[in-house]
Amino acid sequence: MVEHLSSQEEVRTRLVPVLLGADLLIYSYIRSFHETYGLEHKAIVLTTKDVKIVSSSKFCDYRAIDGVDKDDVLMDELLKIGAELKEQGLVGIVLGSGDWYARTLSKNKDRLQEFYFVPYNDFELLDYLTQKDEFQALCDKSDLRHPITLELDCSAEAPRWDYDMHGIEFPCIAKPSNSAAWHFAQFEGKRKIHEPQSMDELRQLYDTLRDHTSFDRKLLVQDMIPGGDDSILNLNAYIDASGKATYKVLGQVVLQDHAPTGLGNPVCVIDAFRSPQLRDRQEAMRDMMDKAIRMVAAKGYRGWANFDVKYDVRDGSFNLFEINTRPGRCSYYISLSGMPFVKPIIEDFVLGNQMPEPPEVQEFCLACIPSLVVRNYVTDEALRDYVLNAYAKGWAIDPVLYERDGFVHGFWAKATTTNQIRKFDRYLGSAS
């Protein structure tokens, strides 16, 4: 097992992030490591294809490798890189962009820790919490709300579903209990989250999964809590080795991606406690946050915990959907709130320090879209004006627009952000 580094200077000169995947979170890691620690060595990025928003960064060593999204290929590559770093007197920290990477790194911690810091929970705990049915049972014990859910076992050995909805009406939500198993299930029309409009649609999805894919876990069918993108909240909390929550921040999603492959990914997030929509729900939000953090801390959880939450206007409740045992895709809003989101990981796992008292959460607006998208697609007038004011005042920040990363990256960053106008017009209809 690698030993703790002794100082910030040693972090700067000896630490090498090895990042798995190529999305907004991976670029946010690259940016945060650079601006927080000024690392002497570039981050190494391992992925299967060229994603320009990441590969164009001058602060990373980008490696597109066939098959690196398979366990054996990934582990061979990580162990080879780890041995090379060790031979150079360097040490790695390995971080992934999605649930599959989190599971793989957790399962292989013992092998990886010869060369890397591995800031993931032990697999037994990670696997337990990321089974959405188990997570909901834990919420019940912790007095936390979650959507009414029907569990459909898609394994070939399970009895076939009798198509009883147990009171859930259409349209509804249908999503996997295990997102890592979902990663390998291939079928036409696959989405991150499905929204069946009828029994025929849901039956077809279930039959396809059970009879024609590798997915052998549960399909969760849920009551669709009413509300648009702005009813979704995102809670991030860092729990250190002592079980203390050293930082927590609650974001309100203003808009999310509506492309089928990106559905559910936030593209604009603000501080929930400063939202014009949630001013009268602050005590309830704090109560939900504290209960959620205590719930996982009591199980021995360590690191960033990322909870998906939805506000139900029907009764004013906050409903937990799931926990991501890793930072969320839009975790750079943590940095905008006043805490560089890689800092707790470095202090806790790499340096072995206790974090000092956290700073007060600053007002923030993460915005991966042009202001025109906000103007056209945010329907709540007060919320729209609040976010547009952030653009006007210059504190609506897009993580990929990092001026220190040079011209080439700047070109791809601006192209990616501007392309959101076309995407929203395509999937939500032209606002003109």
Side-chain angles (χ1 to χ4, degrees), residues 156-192:
E157 300 78 18
R160 188 172 288 275
W161 175 40
D162 61 5
Y163 307 117
D164 184 347
M165 292 296 290
H166 295 274
I168 297 175
E169 298 181 353
F170 293 97
C172 61
I173 297 293
K175 62 184 182 181
S177 64
N178 184 288
S179 55
W182 190 254
H183 175 79
F184 294 104
Q186 300 301 319
F187 61 96
E188 186 176 354
K190 177 183 175 182
R191 297 188 176 202
K192 183 179 178 181

Side-chain angles (χ1 to χ4, degrees), residues 87-134:
E87 188 175 341
Q88 298 171 54
L90 305 175
V91 62
I93 180 169
V94 61
L95 299 155
S97 62
D99 294 328
W100 176 77
Y101 289 118
R103 292 178 68 84
T104 299
L105 296 175
S106 175
K107 281 191 292 187
N108 293 282
K109 274 174 70 172
D110 289 345
R111 297 172 66 194
L112 292 167
Q113 284 176 328
E114 179 182 354
F115 308 113
Y116 297 97
F117 296 103
V118 187
Y120 292 89
N121 287 275
D122 291 343
F123 185 71
E124 184 178 0
L125 177 59
L126 182 147
D127 187 53
Y128 167 69
L129 289 174
T130 53
Q131 304 300 326
K132 294 180 177 65
D133 49 344
E134 298 285 3

Side-chain angles (χ1 to χ4, degrees), residues 129 142 227 266 290 411 432:
L129 289 174
S142 304
D290 290 343
F411 169 81
S432 59

Side-chain angles (χ1 to χ4, degrees), residues 218-386:
K218 292 176 181 178
L219 180 69
L220 303 183
V221 180
Q222 293 182 333
D223 174 38
M224 183 180 284
I225 296 174
D229 293 356
D230 54 8
S231 63
I232 299 166
L233 293 96
N234 192 264
L235 167 61
N236 278 287
Y238 192 90
I239 301 168
D240 69 10
S242 70
K244 178 183 177 183
T246 57
Y247 197 71
K248 56 187 177 184
V249 58
L250 183 66
Q252 179 191 9
V253 175
V254 176
L255 284 172
Q256 62 181 344
D257 197 334
H258 285 266
T261 56
L263 189 65
N265 291 329
V267 294
C268 184
V269 185
I270 63 171
D271 180 4
F273 286 95
R274 292 179 171 91
S275 166
Q277 290 182 317
L278 298 171
R279 288 188 179 126
D280 63 343
R281 303 300 298 153
Q282 299 211 4
E283 184 177 345
M285 288 191 291
R286 289 192 181 92
D287 180 64
M288 177 271 294
M289 292 174 68
D290 290 343
K291 286 179 178 176
I293 293 166
R294 286 199 303 268
M295 176 177 73
V296 295
K299 292 292 183 181
Y301 192 95
R302 184 181 180 191
W304 280 115
N306 173 250
F307 299 87
D308 291 333
V309 184
K310 191 164 187 181
Y311 177 59
D312 191 340
V313 295
R314 296 172 298 187
D315 60 8
S317 64
F318 293 93
N319 292 260
L320 271 67
F321 279 62
E322 63 183 342
I323 181 175
N324 297 305
T325 54
R326 54 174 174 80
R329 184 176 181 273
C330 283
S331 290
Y332 195 78
Y333 78 71
I334 301 168
S335 296
L336 300 181
S337 78
M339 172 65 76
F341 86 99
V342 297
K343 186 173 182 179
I345 300 172
I346 298 301
E347 293 293 330
D348 186 24
F349 279 91
V350 177
L351 294 171
N353 295 336
Q354 281 196 323
M355 285 284 292
E357 283 300 309
E360 290 292 324
V361 173
Q362 299 174 11
E363 192 169 23
F364 64 85
C365 176
L366 178 142
C368 306
I369 48 178
S371 61
L372 180 64
V373 174
V374 174
R375 190 178 303 279
N376 288 345
Y377 291 101
V378 178
T379 57
D380 183 278
E381 183 177 357
L383 183 61
R384 181 175 63 245
D385 289 349
Y386 176 86

